[in-house]
Amino acid sequence: MKPKSRIVNIPVYQPGKPIEEVKRELGLDKVIKLASNENPYGSAPSVQQAIVDELSQLYLYPDGGAVELTAELAQHLGVQSNQIIFGCGSDEIISLTARAFLEPGDETIMADQTFSVYKSNAEIEGAEVVEVPLVDGTHDLHAMIAAVSEDTKIVWVCNPNNPTGTFVPENELISFMDRVPEHVLVVLDEAYYEYVVAEQYPQSVKLLDRYPNLLILRTFSKIYGLAALRIGYGIGNAAVVKLVNQVREPFNTSRIAQAAARQAIRDQQFVDDCRSKNREGMDVLLGEFDRLGLPYFPSETNFIMVDTKHNAMDIFQGMLRRGVIIRAGHQKYPTYIRVTIGTPEENEAFIRALEETLQEQTANV
Ligand code: PMP
C-alpha cells in the first residue's frame, strides 16, 4: 500500500490517559484525571434530561444543517444563522478549515507551543507550518505578523492558549487584525472562552463586522461539560462559513448532541456556577504552587501550567503511580506540567500527590 507521502510521519494525537486504563495497569481503585481540561462538575441536569428526551428519535438522521440549534445560538450570540457552522467538536472545524483553505505550497502560522491539532491538519493538507515562539507563554502577535508572507493562508491564535492558559488582550488583537492582510484568514480558537474573567479579554464576536477574515472557534466540550457528545462551532463572516460548509460531511453532528447543545445554551446559570467554582479551585491551586515555590503561567482557563523544576515526564510518572493523571511532554517546556482544575477534593488529592512526587524526585537527585 502507498499512503499519501505527507501523512506518513504525522503523529497520532495522544489524548490524556483514560482513567480505566490507569486503574487496570496500576491496580488502583481510585484514579483522578486532570489531564484533558474537562469540566469536573459534569453537565447541567437539564441538559441530561434533554438527552433522555431525544432517545425516542434515534432512528432519524440528524438535521444536517443543525437549523434550530444554529438559530438559537445565533440569537444567543447576536449574529446571523449563516455566520455559524457546527462540527464534531471544534476539532472538526479546525480540520474542515484546513481542508477548505490549505493546499501544498501554502504557509500557515501558529505558536510554537499551542493546540497540536492545527499543525497536524495543516500538514495533512501539505501546507508549510511556520511556528512563532511564545514569549512568556503568550502569543507574540508582532512576530506572527512579521512572519506573514504572500503564501500565508491561515494564522491560528489560540486564545486563551492551550497549554499555557495565557491570553492576548483585545487591544493587541485589534492592532494585529488591523495589520493582517485581507488574503489571510485568522482562526481565533476560544475553546475556553466561558472560563475567562479578565476584562481585557477580547469580545471577539463584536469584531466580526470589522474583520471579514476572522473565524472564531468555540465548543460545548469544556465549560458545558459535553466533551463526549462531540459538538463545537465556528462563528465568522457568512462567506467564510459557506466555504467551510462546502467541505463538511452531511451529518457531522448527532441528534443527541444538537438537543443537548440547545438546552445547554438556555442554561447559562450552570455556566456561571462552573466559572466561579473554577476560580475558587484556581485560587487554591495557585496558593499551593506559591507555597511550594513553583512558578506558573497566569491562566484564564480551567487548567494551569506549572513549572515543577524537575523533568516533567518523571513527575508525570510519579503522579500516575499515585493515581493522578496530568499532562507533561510539552517540547518547549520540559519541566512544566499542565493540570486541569478539579473539584476541591480532586485538587487536594493532586497537591498531596504532587508534594510526595516532588519530595521523591528531590531525594533521587
Ligand atoms: N481547541 C483547544 C484549544 C482545545 O484545547 C480543544 C480541546 N482539547 C479543542 C480545540 C477541541 O475541542 P473539541 O473538539 O472537544 O471541541
Side-chain angles (χ1 to χ4, degrees), residues 13 89-91 94 115 118 158 162 189 191-192 219 221-222 230:
Y13 180 80
S90 49
D91 276 343
I94 296 169
F115 188 46
Y118 316 141
C158 188
N162 179 1
D189 184 346
Y192 301 93
T219 182
S221 298
K222 301 300 174 185
R230 312 305 302 124

Side-chain angles (χ1 to χ4, degrees), residues 67-248:
V67 174
E68 288 177 29
L69 170 59
T70 303
E72 285 200 37
L73 181 64
Q75 202 188 9
H76 177 69
L77 295 172
V79 299
Q80 301 298 313
S81 283
N82 62 5
Q83 292 185 267
I84 293 174
I85 176 169
F86 280 92
C88 180
S90 49
D91 276 343
E92 193 194 19
I93 308 292
I94 296 169
S95 67
L96 294 177
T97 306
R99 192 166 167 187
F101 282 85
L102 299 178
E103 53 197 341
D106 291 342
E107 287 178 9
T108 184
I109 299 172
M110 62 191 70
D112 64 344
Q113 188 77 71
T114 189
F115 188 46
S116 64
V117 173
Y118 316 141
K119 185 173 181 175
S120 55
N121 278 288
E123 288 179 342
I124 290 167
E125 302 306 330
E128 192 190 323
V129 174
V130 177
E131 292 178 291
V132 174
L134 293 178
V135 174
D136 297 330
T138 309
H139 278 72
D140 181 351
L141 294 185
H142 294 287
M144 290 179 105
I145 274 286
V148 170
S149 78
E150 281 285 292
D151 296 327
T152 306
K153 284 279 193 69
I154 303 179
V155 181
W156 307 84
V157 179
C158 188
N159 202 35
N161 189 40
N162 179 1
T164 51
T166 58
F167 76 102
V168 291
E170 179 154 299
N171 59 347
E172 279 183 34
L173 181 70
I174 288 176
S175 66
F176 168 78
M177 290 304 303
D178 281 340
R179 290 188 294 151
V180 174
E182 275 171 28
H183 73 271
V184 176
L185 177 71
V186 175
V187 178
L188 189 64
D189 184 346
E190 297 186 335
Y192 301 93
Y193 168 83
E194 297 84 359
Y195 279 112
V196 177
V197 298
E199 277 181 14
Q200 309 93 314
Y201 183 70
Q203 284 312 315
S204 55
V205 171
K206 293 209 182 90
L207 302 178
L208 287 171
D209 287 342
R210 239 153 104 185
Y211 305 110
N213 55 340
L214 180 63
L215 180 64
I216 301 161
L217 308 186
R218 293 191 189 159
T219 182
F220 287 93
S221 298
K222 301 300 174 185
I223 212 165
Y224 289 102
L226 297 173
L229 293 185
R230 312 305 302 124
I231 186 154
Y233 56 97
I235 323 157
N237 180 279
V240 172
V241 167
K242 179 167 181 282
L243 290 168
V244 182
N245 248 322
Q246 282 168 331
V247 298
R248 180 178 64 78

